[in-house]
Amino acid sequence: MLFPEDFLHYVWKFRLFDRLNLRTNDGEELEIFSAGMHNSDSGPDFQNARIRIGDTVWAGNVEVHLSSSDWKKHGHTTDNAYENVILHVVYRDDIPLILPDGRLVPTLELQNRIPDELYSRYHKLIFGEQTVIPCEASIGTVDSLTLYNWLTRVLVERLEKKSAAVTSALNLNRGDWEETFYQFLAANFGFKTNAVPFELLAKSLPQNILAKHKNNPMQIEALIFGQAGFLQEEFKDEYPLKLKEEYSFLQKKYKLVPVENHLWKFMRMRPANFPTIRLAQFAALIVKSNHLFSKLLEIKDVKVLKALFADVKVNPYWEDHYRFDVVSPPSSKNLGEASVDILLLNTMALFLFSYGKHNQLQHFINRSLQLLELLPAENNKIITDFSNLGVKIKTAFESQALIELKNNYCNYKKCLQCGVGNKILKLA
């Protein structure tokens, strides 16, 4: 048989071996009460196990190796952390394990106790021919409860990792949640393509400056377009000329340094997604609602949340423009439903989770997960692939979890650490 040590860990952890007439290498009767807690850090593989050898019940650690000789190869002989090992579990017992004090460590050999069917399933998962994910031929057999429970755990893992970036930014902003939310919201207004210049814009234009001009929409727009670097040209239309005039004064007043205009991308984009339109929408949102994060924390109805973004009205100039001084056919430039959903998914859900975790307020974490359950699933290749395999995906809760599952479990064939993989291996 060919398998890594992780597979043996899995077999021991779930006791998926023939336990009839268990005996140690020196012939003593063995009974397992508890396999112990799997240890992913340094030290023995399983801690606080409980077993009976002969007439004596032992509590302590268990070490797992492919061969008993690996104990010496891995340097455990001189490591004090392994002194409390009560059982050595191996696939092949090639040499007796004797400690420096002369004690013989009881060893359990599993070579002839692992079911061929279990190994066959494992080998098919890890080494079989797959085009999308290791379990693509079997994931459709996994019951909905098992899948939902595992996706919930994976989704929380995803949010915890993403919230680390929020915590880091929060520290840089000296604990200011409003400013941190404003920066992340701006980056997400860039919708990946222009996320970086949008983030740079927000960091170069603190929210407290915008707050001072909350009653003057023209000045808000001037600050945002000016800091984005779009007011450095000569214009013909009255609107950009007025913005430029306002920004010239405000830039000097606040000693502002604009973002380099070349960072903004227009190529291969639909006009409705041009950065000029996104900036106009962002400015309109700032005009409509200052200190947005505090307001959003109070809103529990997802329809009200969506309305806050969807009802944002851009300056009338943009009704027949996509760029300054270039007239286009009239069309609505307000945020579409899909854009609002993405902003709520990437910003609001993340910040509800991060805020709850940071302040140990579980109800905000719950609201984050509930919000994702009320938002539609994303449409991308990963989600299409899972859908084609028979996985039902309706909400952002499911799509976000599946993205995490694919990128951090399936791509690395971590089937033994995956709830779906575990279920498939255990299927009768």
Side-chain angles (χ1 to χ4, degrees):
M1 288 187 180
L2 174 66
F3 52 80
E5 195 173 279
D6 283 352
F7 177 64
L8 212 58
H9 286 199
Y10 173 79
V11 169
W12 170 257
K13 180 178 181 179
F14 294 104
R15 292 189 271 187
L16 301 176
F17 52 90
D18 180 6
R19 286 172 280 161
L20 186 64
N21 297 322
L22 285 180
R23 292 187 178 275
T24 63
N25 57 344
D26 57 352
E28 288 202 79
E29 189 177 276
L30 171 65
E31 185 177 4
I32 303 163
F33 301 122
S34 170
M37 296 294 294
H38 201 180
N39 174 34
S40 58
D41 296 322
S42 60
D45 297 316
F46 290 85
Q47 299 175 341
N48 301 317
R50 288 185 70 251
I51 63 175
R52 178 180 61 80
I53 299 177
D55 296 326
T56 306
V57 174
W58 298 84
N61 302 326
V62 172
E63 180 67 4
V64 178
H65 286 124
L66 291 177
S67 301
S68 52
S69 56
D70 289 338
W71 180 284
K72 184 177 181 180
K73 292 177 184 177
H74 295 176
H76 300 335
T77 303
T78 56
D79 190 338
N80 294 336
Y82 293 83
E83 289 182 353
N84 193 31
V85 169
I86 58 174
L87 183 68
H88 194 204
V89 177
V90 301
Y91 179 70
R92 184 177 67 257
D93 184 23
D94 54 350
I95 62 170
L97 176 55
I98 302 175
L99 298 181
D101 62 3
R103 180 170 67 93
L104 176 68
V105 178
T107 300
L108 171 64
E109 183 181 65
L110 297 180
Q111 185 168 7
N112 298 313
R113 290 183 174 273
I114 300 175
D116 291 339
E117 186 181 359
L118 175 61
Y119 175 76
S120 177
R121 291 188 199 136
Y122 171 76
H123 193 275
K124 187 176 181 180
L125 274 179
I126 304 302
F127 302 107
E129 293 184 5
Q130 304 104 7
T131 58
V132 180
I133 58 174
C135 65
E136 59 189 40
S138 307
I139 191 170
T141 65
V142 177
D143 63 280
S144 58
L145 180 60
T146 296
L147 185 59
Y148 179 81
N149 287 341
W150 180 247
L151 290 184
T152 301
R153 175 173 167 176
V154 172
L155 177 61
V156 170
E157 288 180 10
R158 180 175 181 80
L159 289 169
E160 285 179 340
K161 286 192 290 188
K162 293 179 74 173
S163 69
V166 175
T167 301
S168 178
L170 185 67
N171 291 335
L172 292 175
N173 291 322
R174 299 179 181 179
D176 190 333
W177 281 97
E178 290 287 353
E179 188 69 19
T180 305
F181 180 81
Y182 159 72
Q183 292 173 0
F184 273 72
L185 180 64
N188 287 325
F189 253 86
F191 293 88
K192 290 186 179 180
T193 304
N194 285 300
V196 171
F198 246 113
E199 182 179 359
L200 293 174
L201 163 66
K203 289 181 177 178
S204 73
L205 182 62
Q207 190 174 214
N208 63 348
I209 292 179
L210 293 170
K212 294 176 182 178
H213 301 272
K214 62 182 179 181
N215 297 321
N216 192 324
M218 182 62 72
Q219 290 181 338
I220 295 287
E221 293 165 23
L223 282 165
I224 287 175
F225 277 104
Q227 277 305 97
F230 282 99
L231 300 179
Q232 298 171 0
E233 303 176 16
E234 297 299 324
F235 301 109
K236 297 178 183 179
D237 290 350
E238 180 181 352
Y239 175 67
L241 285 171
K242 181 64 175 175
L243 290 180
K244 186 172 183 178
E245 179 184 353
E246 290 281 2
Y247 179 67
S248 179
F249 168 74
L250 294 170
Q251 181 185 19
K252 293 174 183 176
K253 179 179 179 180
Y254 295 115
K255 299 178 182 180
L256 298 173
V257 179
V259 172
E260 295 182 23
N261 182 261
H262 69 84
L263 295 173
W264 300 93
K265 296 178 177 62
F266 286 83
M267 294 293 290
R268 294 184 291 278
M269 296 184 69
R270 292 174 56 249
N273 294 328
F274 278 0
T276 44
I277 302 304
R278 294 303 185 197
L279 287 165
Q281 294 166 342
F282 186 64
L285 181 61
I286 297 299
V287 169
K288 180 181 178 181
S289 187
N290 208 258
H291 291 95
L292 191 57
F293 183 59
S294 297
K295 293 181 175 64
L296 293 175
L297 283 180
E298 298 173 1
I299 300 174
K300 297 180 181 180
D301 189 333
V302 69
K303 292 181 180 179
V304 177
L305 274 177
K306 287 189 174 186
L308 184 65
F309 288 86
D311 292 343
V312 167
K313 306 298 182 184
V314 301
N315 189 291
Y317 177 83
W318 296 106
E319 291 178 2
D320 57 359
H321 289 79
Y322 289 105
R323 293 175 180 263
F324 291 122
D325 285 348
V326 181
V327 178
S328 62
S331 64
S332 172
K333 302 302 193 306
N334 297 330
L335 279 167
E337 185 177 0
S339 296
V340 172
D341 289 339
I342 292 173
L343 288 171
L344 291 177
L345 186 160
N346 289 327
T347 314
M348 194 61 215
L350 172 60
F351 267 75
L352 282 171
F353 184 92
S354 300
Y355 187 78
K357 182 180 178 184
H358 186 271
N359 294 290
Q360 298 183 354
L361 298 171
Q362 184 63 39
H363 64 280
F364 282 110
I365 294 175
N366 294 340
R367 277 181 57 191
S368 170
L369 301 179
Q370 290 164 2
L371 174 58
L372 291 173
E373 286 183 318
L374 293 171
L375 294 174
E378 299 114 292
N379 182 19
N380 55 46
K381 187 178 185 305
I382 291 177
I383 302 309
T384 299
D385 285 342
F386 273 108
S387 181
N388 290 338
L389 294 175
V391 180
K392 295 180 180 180
I393 312 162
K394 295 182 179 179
T395 71
F397 181 103
E398 295 157 339
S399 61
Q400 282 284 291
L402 288 168
I403 291 170
E404 182 71 13
L405 181 65
K406 176 68 165 64
N407 290 336
N408 291 288
Y409 285 86
C410 303
N411 287 354
Y412 298 99
K413 296 193 174 183
K414 293 164 63 176
C415 304
L416 297 177
Q417 289 81 49
C418 172
V420 175
N422 280 196
K423 184 68 173 181
I424 290 169
L425 286 170
K426 292 178 183 178
L427 283 177

